[in-house]
Amino acid sequence: MDRIDLETALQAGSNPYLTGPYSATHDEVTLSELEVIGEIPADLNGVYVRNGPNPQFDPRGRYHWFDGDGMVHAVHFAEGRASYRNRWIRTDGFRREREAGAQLWQGIIEPPAGNPPGEPEKDTANTDLVFHNERLLALWYRSGKPYALDPLTLETLGPEDFDGTLRCEVSSHAKVDPRTGELCFFDYGVKPPFMRYGVVSPGGAVRHFVGIDLPGPRLPHDMAITEHYSILMDLPLVNDRDAARAGRFKLFFDREMPTRFAVIPRYGTADEVRWFEADPCFIYHSVNAREEGDEIVMDVCRVKRPEPRSDLDGPLAQMLSYLRLDAHLHRYRFDLRTGKTTEQMLDDDNCEFPSINQDLLGQHTRYAYNMHISPESTLLFDGLMKYDTNTGASETYWFGEGRWGSEAPFARRPGAAAEDDGYLVSYVYDEREGRSEVEVLDASDVTAGPLCRVRLPVRVPIGFHATWVPGAQLPGGSA
């Protein structure tokens, strides 16, 4: 399959995020006895599952990559073997369109006037996955209903309202504290207070909920937690006011606004929020945060220029611009005594979609595993970077010519003592063969290349976020 040529695609009137490695798949399959090149580690036991957009119908109007219906793809590892399955997430919107046999919603680029009354956007649950209280939760970046999935079968169990205690929506990047089992989350919207924050108990009930006052509507994407605090973001990438009044969605980066971070005790009230200001930027994803004396230290992937490119024109120009990420590893320090923010660039290479050893979320971590962004015209990952955030050193495993990876979560080796004693797992799409595989790497030595490659007889479209669920945490205690 030829690599996407952006100019050719645009001249032909086609959307590059509907072709090639992004093309939707329409078959739900369950496959075992997969071909393996190399040997699957005998102690790799669990489920690697990734979310992403996969429209069930040909889109009407201008399609944004973020519009597609959610589909999850999972590879189960146990006893040196692997099996694969994929399932659509049966959201309310998905079911209604399937019953109608046609698309009922247009995407975020188009005016919402023709969408179902009172529902300007379709919640697709296509963005992230977190594992909490023995369920996978599929989450949506625009804030929506969490959809609970069976982690083994991937069947949709339905909207998760936490036993009727959920009083808002949930944005995509909720955090599960590995020490307490609590789930910390936020949502955002167009009505005051514009952001809300909550904590769900390990047993699945919201036990804390508070409004966070912002000056106006915002588009935050992620958050971070430490042992005692949560960090929320007020960023200067907003919906253009004129476009909003006209019922359209258009991003605007306001360089006159600072970036602000709300530091709140995990069970804090609105008047306990401490605000810290920094230079204007946008942040899609945090790496990790920790408490260090009287400071909170947070590492993120900071977007340098979240603005449209001047070399693109046409109806898809804004989408194509914002999806050409230009991000780098960046550190913030928030001094709780003085209220001062300090920041520094840790590395200037272009990387995103970070993962860490999730057993250490909210604590000090030395290593981050980031996806290297290729120079291609659309968002593709050509390598997997391992960062030593103590020293700033990095090493990269390159997937190879015409091969594109996915976010690679860390799978801890049973009994591991070292932070990086485990595996990294990633879907890799080979555009030359038009097929996908799963690569397993030794996290302590990523440049050595894959320990094994599990070849799939089906194609896994390029997608979004992934998670690893250890076998011991799955129903029945194994994959």
Side-chain angles (χ1 to χ4, degrees), residues 34-42 44 75 77 80-82 397 399 403 423-428 437-442 448-455:
L34 301 174
E35 177 188 357
V36 178
I37 299 174
E39 186 173 346
I40 297 174
L44 183 62
V75 175
F77 293 92
R81 297 180 181 178
Y397 162 65
F399 294 114
R403 292 167 59 83
Y423 307 101
L424 299 168
V425 191
S426 177
Y427 287 108
V428 177
E437 61 186 42
V438 174
E439 293 190 349
V440 178
L441 288 84
D442 183 340
L451 298 169
C452 67
R453 296 163 51 198
V454 181
R455 291 174 63 83

Side-chain angles (χ1 to χ4, degrees), residues 218-389:
R218 298 291 190 263
L219 298 166
H221 192 75
D222 203 352
M223 63 177 295
I225 64 170
T226 67
E227 182 179 358
H228 299 105
Y229 297 94
S230 292
I231 302 97
L232 308 169
M233 304 185 195
D234 174 12
L235 307 172
L237 187 67
V238 299
N239 190 7
D240 182 270
R241 295 180 182 89
D242 292 336
R245 280 192 290 268
R248 295 184 295 108
F249 179 74
K250 180 182 179 182
L251 294 175
F252 172 64
F253 182 57
D254 189 346
R255 290 192 172 276
E256 301 302 313
M257 290 171 51
T259 287
R260 299 198 310 156
F261 300 95
V263 176
I264 183 172
R266 180 165 299 182
Y267 287 89
T269 60
D271 58 7
E272 291 181 284
V273 172
R274 297 280 304 276
W275 286 102
F276 293 82
E277 293 193 357
D279 292 338
C281 72
F282 190 74
I283 297 165
Y284 280 105
H285 302 115
S286 64
V287 178
N288 199 12
R290 66 181 184 271
E291 297 164 31
E292 199 171 272
D294 291 315
E295 287 188 322
I296 289 176
V297 182
M298 182 174 70
D299 292 342
V300 303
C301 293
R302 181 181 187 271
V303 178
K304 301 174 185 177
R305 297 181 58 195
E307 298 172 287
R309 289 165 46 188
S310 59
D311 61 329
L312 290 175
D313 196 10
L316 299 176
Q318 188 180 64
M319 177 191 74
L320 296 171
S321 292
Y322 283 110
L323 289 177
R324 279 297 307 131
L325 299 185
D326 186 11
H328 63 271
L329 200 62
H330 200 79
R331 173 166 293 169
Y332 293 98
R333 289 182 175 270
F334 310 122
D335 192 317
L336 297 174
R337 295 169 305 161
T338 66
K340 180 182 178 182
T341 304
T342 57
E343 53 182 305
Q344 69 178 115
M345 181 188 295
L346 298 182
D347 187 74
D348 64 355
D349 211 341
N350 195 3
C351 66
E352 249 292 353
F353 282 54
S355 64
I356 62 167
N357 181 336
Q358 288 291 316
D359 288 349
L360 300 175
L361 182 69
Q363 305 173 66
H364 180 268
T365 45
R366 179 174 182 176
Y367 300 111
Y369 310 98
N370 292 18
M371 305 309 297
H372 187 271
I373 299 174
S374 83
E376 297 294 318
S377 299
T378 56
L379 182 60
L380 293 166
F381 301 136
D382 58 5
L384 174 56
M385 306 181 73
K386 178 183 181 180
Y387 277 109
D388 184 332
T389 63

Side-chain angles (χ1 to χ4, degrees), residues 74-132:
V75 175
H76 298 235
F77 293 92
E79 299 178 344
R81 297 180 181 178
S83 61
Y84 165 85
R85 73 179 63 210
N86 67 316
R87 296 292 186 272
W88 261 301
I89 303 168
R90 263 67 178 181
T91 64
D92 178 63
F94 176 91
R95 278 200 273 249
R96 286 163 62 184
E97 290 188 330
R98 175 150 289 198
E99 290 170 1
Q103 182 182 354
L104 301 178
W105 281 267
Q106 295 190 111
I108 61 172
I109 298 178
E110 295 292 345
N115 293 340
E119 300 176 88
E121 297 177 336
K122 182 175 66 170
D123 179 351
T124 60
N126 70 6
T127 310
D128 198 11
L129 293 161
V130 297
F131 184 72
H132 180 254

